[in-house]
Amino acid sequence: MARGGFPGVPGGGNMQQLMKQAQKMQQQMVKVQEALDERTYEASAGGGMVKAVVSGKRALVSLCIDPRAVDPEDVELLQDTVLAAVNEALRAGEEAREREMSKLGGGMGGLL
């Protein structure tokens, strides 16, 4: 085995080169995570009667309820609609996060 090399690591396995590559990928991941944290995701439910906006940090930032959605006789329907809108917005944010992070994962053969 060559000095400083590791068997099974492509390109002769220069450890220094591998560390630089890992460091670069980590910096890219931080940038992507910061960008994702800045985004907002919106979803609606009940035919658009309830709209929820969440941040990339998974926090509810706004909730808009059309007054026509408020029926004192059916509060449970409104609760379910709010939950559906918030959960869908959170799901959209999570899917975007997974999609962006998976783009980085291929760079090191799945090491990170």
Side-chain angles (χ1 to χ4, degrees):
M1 168 169 73
R3 190 171 173 196
F6 292 91
V9 177
N14 183 329
M15 184 62 165
Q16 220 172 12
Q17 194 174 29
L18 185 62
M19 292 301 289
K20 284 181 184 179
Q21 190 176 4
Q23 195 172 33
K24 182 180 177 184
M25 176 171 264
Q26 186 175 16
Q27 290 169 347
Q28 289 175 326
M29 288 176 69
V30 168
K31 285 181 183 179
V32 169
Q33 287 173 339
E34 288 172 351
L36 288 166
D37 286 348
E38 295 295 318
R39 290 185 188 174
T40 58
Y41 305 91
E42 182 177 323
S44 62
M49 300 282 266
V50 175
K51 293 179 184 171
V53 178
V54 298
S55 72
K57 292 183 178 183
R58 300 169 187 95
L60 181 65
V61 291
S62 77
L63 181 65
C64 215
I65 301 173
D66 187 311
R68 295 172 295 161
V70 180
D71 179 358
E73 300 297 317
D74 196 0
V75 174
E76 191 173 301
L77 177 61
L78 178 58
Q79 292 169 338
D80 291 344
T81 306
V82 168
L83 284 174
V86 171
N87 285 332
E88 183 56 34
L90 288 169
R91 189 172 11 265
E94 205 53 41
E95 286 174 0
R97 181 172 295 278
E98 288 174 14
R99 195 171 42 252
E100 292 300 317
M101 296 308 283
S102 72
K103 289 179 185 177
L104 294 176
M108 293 266 311
L111 286 178
L112 296 177

